[in-house]
Amino acid sequence: MKKLYGVIGSPIAHSMSPHIHNDAFKQMDYNAHYHAFHIEPDELEDAVKGMKALGVSGFNVTIPHKEAIIPLLDEVDEAARRIGAVNTVVNRDGVLIGYNTDGKGYVEALKEVTMLKNKRVLIIGAGGAARAIFYTLAKEGNIQIDLYNRTASKAVELIQEFSLNHLAKGISSKEAVNTMKDYDVVVQTTSVGMFPYTEESPFPLINIKEGAVFSDIIYNPIETRLLRDAKALGAVTQNGVSMFAYQAAFAFEHWTGQLPDTDRMKNIVKVQLGGISC
């Protein structure tokens, strides 16, 4: 009997997830189908009940439901509970269990372009993605992490809440611009620069550390204004395609016990976005 998986969110029509998961099911000869479900916030509780009643084997959770779904689940993994967001749900014999693969997916992607030990990292943003990335990076150890957010108090609150890294601190926009040359890795987690506002950037880049890594979790466009400016100054740059593939792969692993081909997933996303394979 074919198993059913999916993703819930709003909007959801342009999600890349069905492309990569259905391809992975096919490649691994796994009898399943993945479908995108458009669910509005006032429909979430009924949707979760429906997923359980229909025996849906697992599903992803995206904007705007990652936080709101937590009290509707039977169990929540410790990391997802600490982060305060769920992006993957497993139906285990009628018990819905929530996980967060965003942070793990991001860190795995970042390791493709740099070693993390003894690095000084700046995270831009203090929203859900920043929380997952901060939590996971901090648990790696031996990393100094600073946070910049337009609302400085949110950055400070996030750091105090986790209390995982005594070196972490919140900084202002002015500090971020003036101290950019001190960071080995800069992680952009906000929606600034996302399509269709592709010429926006969190702040101007004046000077950066030689060989610094600039990583943007946005994958549409493939190269944001921040990455374009950083590359012009000699930085190593990384877009959000790898993170998207890894978080999807770890979700797939939660559902099936098998880890799919992440390079194939990345290639599918690039083809869908621009018609160019990697």
Side-chain angles (χ1 to χ4, degrees), residues 39-56:
I39 306 296
E40 294 293 343
D42 61 355
E43 301 169 330
L44 181 60
E45 184 172 358
D46 287 339
V48 172
K49 290 178 181 177
M51 291 287 192
K52 181 183 285 192
L54 291 170
V56 173

Side-chain angles (χ1 to χ4, degrees), residues 124-127 147-158 170-173 190:
I124 302 170
L147 280 176
Y148 159 68
N149 191 62
R150 284 182 298 180
T151 306
S153 60
K154 284 191 66 177
V156 173
E157 288 170 9
L158 192 158
I171 65 173
S172 66
S173 175
T190 76

Side-chain angles (χ1 to χ4, degrees), residues 3 5 21 24-25 28 30-32 57-58 88-90 92 248-260:
K3 293 184 177 182
Y5 295 87
H21 284 294
F25 287 142
M28 303 183 84
Y30 195 85
N31 190 20
S57 298
T88 301
V89 176
V90 177
R92 190 163 295 143
F250 292 136
F252 191 97
E253 186 178 33
H254 277 302
W255 296 328
T256 70
Q258 302 178 69
L259 195 63

Side-chain angles (χ1 to χ4, degrees), residues 152-264:
S153 60
K154 284 191 66 177
V156 173
E157 288 170 9
L158 192 158
I159 292 168
Q160 292 175 340
E161 179 183 346
F162 286 137
S163 300
L164 288 170
N165 189 325
H166 71 281
L167 295 175
K169 66 177 183 179
I171 65 173
S172 66
S173 175
K174 183 177 180 181
E175 286 178 293
V177 172
N178 292 337
T179 64
M180 191 61 62
K181 64 182 181 300
D182 297 331
Y183 294 103
D184 302 294
V185 180
V186 178
V187 185
Q188 205 294 111
T189 72
T190 76
S191 60
V192 177
M194 185 182 292
F195 182 84
Y197 306 106
T198 56
E199 288 306 307
E200 294 184 359
S201 182
F203 40 64
L205 296 182
I206 299 172
N207 53 34
I208 64 174
K209 189 171 186 175
E210 184 178 354
V213 172
F214 274 68
S215 176
D216 199 322
I217 69 169
I218 292 171
Y219 58 82
N220 187 9
I222 289 289
E223 185 175 65
T224 60
R225 171 69 183 273
L226 179 70
L227 294 187
R228 192 162 69 246
D229 291 348
K231 183 184 288 185
L233 293 173
V236 175
T237 61
Q238 182 185 54
N239 59 39
V241 172
S242 287
M243 174 191 174
F244 180 73
Y246 277 112
Q247 64 80 28
F250 292 136
F252 191 97
E253 186 178 33
H254 277 302
W255 296 328
T256 70
Q258 302 178 69
L259 195 63
D261 183 344
T262 52
D263 286 336
R264 187 177 177 90

